[in-house]
Amino acid sequence: MVEGPLVTVLHDGTRPDAELMRPVAERATIRHATDAELAAALRGADVLFLYDFMSTAVPGAWYAADRLRWVHVGATGVDAVMFAELIDSDVVVTNTRGVFDGPIAEYVLAQILEFAKDLPESLRLQQRHVWRHRESERVAGASVLIVGTGPIGRAIARLLRAVGMRVRGLGRTARTGDPDFGVVGTDLHAELPAADYVVAVAPLTPRTRHLFDARAFAAMKPHARFINVGRGELVVTDDLVAALRTGSLAGAALDVVDPEPLPVGHALWDLPNVHLTPHNSGDFRGWRDEIVTAFADNFRKWIDGRPLDNVVDKRLGYVPG
């Protein structure tokens, strides 16, 4: 019988790969749970691994967390567990920062190319068997504002700079000479008018919620495109729809929306200048195994008393630095 701590794994009905979890199982007891089972599974647990990081069940089950010391979120965003009781507790929170950086950067570049080369219209013409010569936009030389200067924002900046785009960042601290962004500003409305593309990748915090509202969209160029790979709640959705309908914004690529999933009949489904994807910008083949491996690696450090990777500042709502 395994001695050691109790680790509760929250999943959506599909458990993480047992072989990848072996380093944990060899030194701890693992208890699996779905949303409905979470409260019972938290009693006596030392560690909670949110394999189902889209779950919203943790706040409602928190009353049962009588011994919890560490929560590991299998994603970069941790807003689903940033509720008052957890923030005020001594429980350490870590995330899986690093796994999704490259794939999300590739997604952003793909969306920019789709807009610049108008690939959706090429497909529509092909489906109608229409051969029509058209011109497209250059990507090289276009300006991009990346809102959120963490690891994902930096990966996006490096990839976009590699294809000749002019990149600036927006973060909490202004600086020049940044190796990835060149310049990082702090005033959103001062930065927006110069951007051909605006990429939202900031974490969801009280400070960033509804950052992109009617005033922000009005500050953008009429030909600008907006790409959101952060959280849907960064945006006032009705204001975005209005900007797209009136032509004050040329287009939007949205991997995240508010509400999510997008309801049937919502205006965003049918706007011709909108590209929608179902919150999968970072979901490459094998990503589930990657987040299990990241947790297992961090578990080894935790049980050996070594410093954990990716410790979240619960007051900020993300990993600082």
Side-chain angles (χ1 to χ4, degrees), residues 146 149-151 153-161 165-169 175 177-184:
I146 299 176
T149 56
R154 290 186 176 278
I156 295 169
R158 289 192 293 270
L159 189 57
L160 299 188
R161 286 167 69 110
M165 303 191 80
R166 297 181 290 114
V167 176
R168 291 173 69 97
R175 54 190 178 274
D178 185 280
D180 296 318
F181 299 102
V183 176
V184 175

Side-chain angles (χ1 to χ4, degrees), residues 32-244:
H32 293 276
T34 60
D35 282 1
E37 301 162 338
L38 181 59
L42 277 178
R43 297 190 189 280
D46 299 280
V47 179
L48 172 62
F49 172 32
L50 292 183
Y51 181 63
D52 178 14
F53 54 81
M54 298 296 289
S55 171
T56 59
V58 177
W62 188 251
Y63 69 90
D66 53 356
R67 205 172 77 182
L68 203 63
R69 292 183 279 163
W70 172 35
V71 173
H72 181 85
V73 181
T76 304
V78 296
D79 46 280
V81 296
M82 288 295 102
F83 54 96
E85 292 85 352
L86 176 52
I87 292 171
D88 293 337
S89 74
D90 294 329
V91 176
V92 175
V93 177
T94 58
N95 71 0
T96 315
R97 187 171 72 161
V99 169
F100 302 103
D101 301 2
I104 293 177
E106 293 169 358
Y107 172 95
V108 170
L109 176 59
Q111 291 290 0
I112 289 173
L113 289 169
E114 190 168 16
F115 280 124
K117 305 307 175 184
D118 198 8
L119 298 180
E121 179 62 13
S122 295
L123 180 59
R124 286 189 288 267
L125 291 171
Q126 178 184 341
Q127 290 169 339
R128 291 162 47 201
H129 298 188
V130 174
W131 187 275
R132 180 182 301 159
H133 180 267
R134 294 154 52 243
E135 296 180 346
S136 63
E137 302 169 16
R138 290 296 309 274
V139 168
S143 60
V144 185
L145 176 65
I146 299 176
V147 181
T149 56
I152 296 175
R154 290 186 176 278
I156 295 169
R158 289 192 293 270
L159 189 57
L160 299 188
R161 286 167 69 110
V163 298
M165 303 191 80
R166 297 181 290 114
V167 176
R168 291 173 69 97
L170 188 102
R172 296 178 71 245
T173 305
R175 54 190 178 274
T176 59
D178 185 280
D180 296 318
F181 299 102
V183 176
V184 175
T186 58
D187 186 339
L188 177 67
H189 297 94
E191 297 284 349
L192 286 173
D196 300 307
Y197 294 90
V198 177
V199 181
V201 68
L204 179 63
T205 68
R207 180 175 176 174
T208 62
R209 186 179 297 273
H210 293 167
L211 184 65
F212 291 94
D213 57 9
R215 182 183 169 214
F217 293 124
M220 295 184 194
K221 297 177 180 179
H223 71 255
R225 279 75 172 234
F226 175 69
I227 301 171
N228 190 3
V229 289
R231 283 290 185 267
E233 294 91 336
L234 298 175
V235 178
V236 179
T237 303
D238 288 347
D239 292 354
L240 173 60
V241 170
L244 292 164

Side-chain angles (χ1 to χ4, degrees), residues 186-302:
T186 58
D187 186 339
L188 177 67
H189 297 94
E191 297 284 349
L192 286 173
D196 300 307
Y197 294 90
V198 177
V199 181
V201 68
L204 179 63
T205 68
R207 180 175 176 174
T208 62
R209 186 179 297 273
H210 293 167
L211 184 65
F212 291 94
D213 57 9
R215 182 183 169 214
F217 293 124
M220 295 184 194
K221 297 177 180 179
H223 71 255
R225 279 75 172 234
F226 175 69
I227 301 171
N228 190 3
V229 289
R231 283 290 185 267
E233 294 91 336
L234 298 175
V235 178
V236 179
T237 303
D238 288 347
D239 292 354
L240 173 60
V241 170
L244 292 164
R245 280 176 166 165
T246 61
S248 59
L249 184 64
L254 308 172
D255 186 53
V256 288
V257 291
D258 181 26
E260 190 174 307
L262 195 65
V264 174
H266 195 282
L268 286 173
W269 284 114
D270 297 312
L271 287 171
N273 49 351
V274 171
H275 305 164
L276 289 170
T277 53
H279 205 147
N280 66 349
S281 61
D283 295 351
F284 59 96
R285 293 186 180 99
W287 67 268
R288 291 176 179 82
D289 289 348
E290 291 284 341
I291 66 173
V292 176
T293 299
F295 170 67
D297 289 345
N298 229 9
F299 176 81
R300 290 189 187 97
K301 294 179 179 179
W302 179 81

